[in-house]
């Protein structure tokens, strides 16, 4: 029998899951999946702000998922590429998507039905002042 255990903080598994949960990681991995890209091209392709792109790329580079290279002297061009670890993270993302597609229901459908709960006042059995039968004189 499988007994789940917590994912250790700072482990590769925890870092990978945290990265995949960030908004711009998946689109960035996808953009880099075919070939290295220059910073400006990534920004145009993704339609992301410079600050968000720089922060995301810096984090992915720090964690070893993306490599950064500068053009030889003279040109101020920086390009980014997936590392072997980055390709593995992209494959993990694809596996998670395939897993989700195989499920009979989606998490969104579960959340939608779970969100239909009675208001707190109905749950406490309280009534509105108009229905309480008491009058103020």
């Amino acid at each position: 029998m499988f007994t789940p255990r917590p994912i250790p903080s700072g482990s590769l598994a925890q870092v990978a899951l945290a990265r995949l949960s960030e908004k711009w990681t998946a689109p960035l991995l996808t953009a880099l999946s075919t070939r290295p890209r220059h910073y400006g091209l990534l920004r145009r392709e993704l339609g992301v702000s410079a600050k968000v792109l720089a922060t995301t790329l810096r984090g992915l580079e720090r964690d070893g998922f993306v490599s950064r290279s500068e053009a030889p002297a003279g040109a101020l061009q920086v390009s980014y590429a997936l590392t072997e670890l980055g390709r593995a993270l992209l494959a993990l993302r694809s596996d998670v998507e395939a897993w989700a597609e195989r499920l009979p229901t989606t998490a969104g459908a579960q959340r939608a039905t779970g969100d239909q709960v009675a208001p707190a006042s109905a749950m406490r059995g309280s009534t509105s002042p108009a229905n309480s039968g008491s009058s103020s004189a």
Side-chain angles (χ1 to χ4, degrees):
M1 173 183 237
F2 173 73
T3 304
R5 57 187 167 94
I7 297 174
S9 180
S11 68
L12 181 57
Q14 187 270 330
V15 169
L17 291 172
R19 285 282 167 223
L20 286 175
S21 70
E22 293 175 354
K23 180 178 180 177
W24 291 103
T25 296
L28 194 50
L29 293 175
T30 302
L32 293 173
S33 66
T34 56
R35 68 182 199 280
R37 298 264 202 295
H38 293 292
Y39 178 89
L41 181 59
L42 284 170
R43 188 159 176 235
R44 285 189 301 277
E45 285 181 350
L46 299 176
V48 62
S49 74
K51 180 180 179 181
V52 170
L53 180 58
T55 301
T56 305
L57 283 168
R58 197 174 301 121
L60 289 169
E61 182 185 8
R62 181 192 60 234
D63 294 336
F65 299 114
V66 168
S67 64
R68 178 183 190 270
S69 59
E70 295 181 23
L76 261 173
Q77 286 198 340
V78 176
S79 63
Y80 294 88
L82 289 181
T83 62
E84 186 176 332
L85 191 59
R87 291 198 182 287
L89 185 62
L90 187 59
L92 175 61
R93 176 185 163 257
S94 296
D95 290 346
V96 169
E97 286 177 338
W99 166 78
E101 288 171 2
R102 288 192 306 266
L103 295 178
T105 61
T106 65
Q110 292 294 329
R111 281 194 305 270
T113 56
D115 286 346
Q116 297 173 0
V117 295
S121 61
M123 294 167 85
R124 289 190 298 260
S126 62
T127 56
S128 68
N131 295 334
S132 66
S134 65
S135 61
S136 54

